[in-house]
Amino acid sequence: LPQSDLHPLLGRRPPREQLEPNMQISPFDVRFSQGRASPEFRDGRLLEEAMQLIQTVRCVDGMQEPATWRLEAPFPAIEILQWRCKLRDEQTGRPRLDPKTGGELYDCESKWFTLDNRRLYCLQRVAAKLWPDKAVVDVVELPPGPLTRARQLKKFRTLDRGCSILIGPRHATEPPVHWCWRQAVGAETEESEPDADKCFVHLRRRPRGDGRQRRASDAAMGTRDSNCPGSEDMADAHDSSATSYSWWLSIVAFLGVYVLLRVLGRMVVFSTRQL
């Protein structure tokens, strides 16, 4: 089939650079990065239409039971990355804070996340129909590192660590559809909340107080971080994001001073001519 027939859901906007898939994974092992998504793609096509076009191909690596099926979707492969997301209060959406240091809490383990939430929703819906058979899909694993993670950090708004998502317009009168694959297939257990003592703590600002209070806060955070794998990557991501912000702030300040000097120079020349 031509490329236009295989990918009818690219949208009217120019598509971003498509990376070649480099791994296979179950859609159930990937989490949502946001708590809500539109029921339509950018070109106006419904997610339900995309689900009807997803094909299931039985893998030929043996005939063991339960079977394994490969999902062939009409849209590009989703991009995934490993991340420990920020823990948020499900009622208010605000970040959860460490009672000892006041820092923001992050999950104690890295999980697979994607920013392609609508595509993941379609894949999970089809995989749920195959349950208890296993389903896999080709994905693009983004390279690790603070730069990649810092770009995606601001888009993570999930309230339950990516376990579920709401599908529906934001200003619709009807309530959105709640989707959680565990509930859909009748999984026996739900994930429990992570232990706060084992979570990664990120301090945006030093707590007010004397030096002893600050040293105690740093010591508490250091002890917690030593028990949390990957804490250095999380800190690097925040440092990279802060560095990028400072760099842009410096450019804006430079341009502001430059424009001010040009205006003052023009005013001096104009005054000289008047004299």
Side-chain angles (χ1 to χ4, degrees):
L1 293 177
Q3 188 75 7
S4 58
D5 293 338
L6 289 176
H7 300 286
L9 301 175
L10 291 179
R12 297 191 183 94
R13 298 183 184 180
R16 63 187 180 188
E17 180 183 1
Q18 303 299 327
L19 303 177
E20 291 296 328
N22 51 16
M23 68 174 292
Q24 278 190 345
I25 193 173
S26 170
F28 295 152
D29 292 333
V30 184
R31 299 177 177 233
F32 301 99
S33 57
Q34 297 181 344
R36 189 166 187 150
S38 171
E40 300 177 351
F41 287 98
R42 290 181 177 177
D43 66 344
R45 295 176 183 261
L46 298 175
L47 304 187
E48 296 291 338
E49 297 179 7
M51 281 181 265
Q52 301 299 325
L53 298 176
I54 297 178
Q55 301 180 2
T56 58
V57 180
R58 181 160 182 165
C59 298
V60 296
D61 298 336
M63 301 299 294
Q64 69 277 7
E65 296 293 340
T68 300
W69 301 82
R70 181 168 58 86
L71 305 183
E72 295 183 352
F75 40 72
I78 63 174
E79 299 177 357
I80 66 174
L81 75 162
Q82 281 195 324
W83 185 250
R84 286 184 287 109
C85 68
K86 183 185 298 184
L87 302 183
R88 296 180 180 272
D89 186 285
E90 294 189 14
Q91 301 298 326
T92 64
R94 295 181 178 179
R96 290 175 51 187
L97 303 179
D98 176 39
K100 297 180 181 179
T101 63
E104 296 178 344
L105 293 176
Y106 284 76
D107 201 349
C108 56
E109 295 181 356
S110 297
K111 303 290 193 310
W112 288 110
F113 282 89
T114 184
L115 298 178
D116 304 318
N117 296 283
R118 288 171 290 190
R119 290 182 241 169
L120 177 61
Y121 167 73
C122 295
L123 295 171
Q124 287 193 355
R125 283 279 305 272
V126 176
K129 296 180 180 179
L130 298 172
W131 183 272
D133 288 356
K134 181 180 179 181
V136 295
V137 64
D138 295 331
V139 299
V140 178
E141 178 187 1
L142 296 178
L147 291 179
T148 300
R149 296 177 178 181
R151 295 191 189 102
Q152 319 300 341
L153 180 61
K154 62 181 180 179
K155 299 182 180 181
F156 279 74
R157 291 293 182 268
T158 175
L159 301 181
D160 59 357
R161 296 176 295 149
C163 295
S164 66
I165 193 170
L166 297 176
I167 302 296
R170 293 189 177 275
H171 303 292
T173 57
E174 298 181 358
V177 177
H178 177 264
W179 168 257
C180 174
W181 74 263
R182 290 180 178 271
Q183 296 178 2
V185 302
E188 296 181 356
T189 58
E190 294 287 341
E191 284 194 356
S192 58
E193 287 293 323
D195 188 355
D197 292 334
K198 298 180 181 179
C199 294
F200 172 78
V201 181
H202 174 67
L203 291 179
R204 290 184 176 273
R205 299 176 181 176
R206 287 186 174 271
R208 295 181 179 178
D210 56 19
R212 289 176 297 177
Q213 291 177 333
R214 294 183 178 180
R215 286 192 295 270
S217 175
D218 292 342
M221 185 180 67
T223 302
R224 297 270 293 280
D225 293 350
S226 63
N227 298 326
C228 184
S231 59
E232 294 182 359
D233 291 341
M234 178 69 73
D236 290 342
H238 285 285
D239 292 342
S240 175
S241 179
T243 301
S244 176
Y245 175 78
S246 301
W247 185 72
W248 282 107
L249 189 61
S250 300
I251 292 180
V252 172
F254 172 78
L255 293 177
V257 174
Y258 174 77
V259 172
L260 179 61
L261 292 177
R262 290 293 300 269
V263 171
L264 292 177
R266 292 292 182 89
M267 293 177 62
V268 171
V269 172
F270 180 77
S271 300
T272 304
R273 291 179 179 177
Q274 293 294 328
L275 295 176

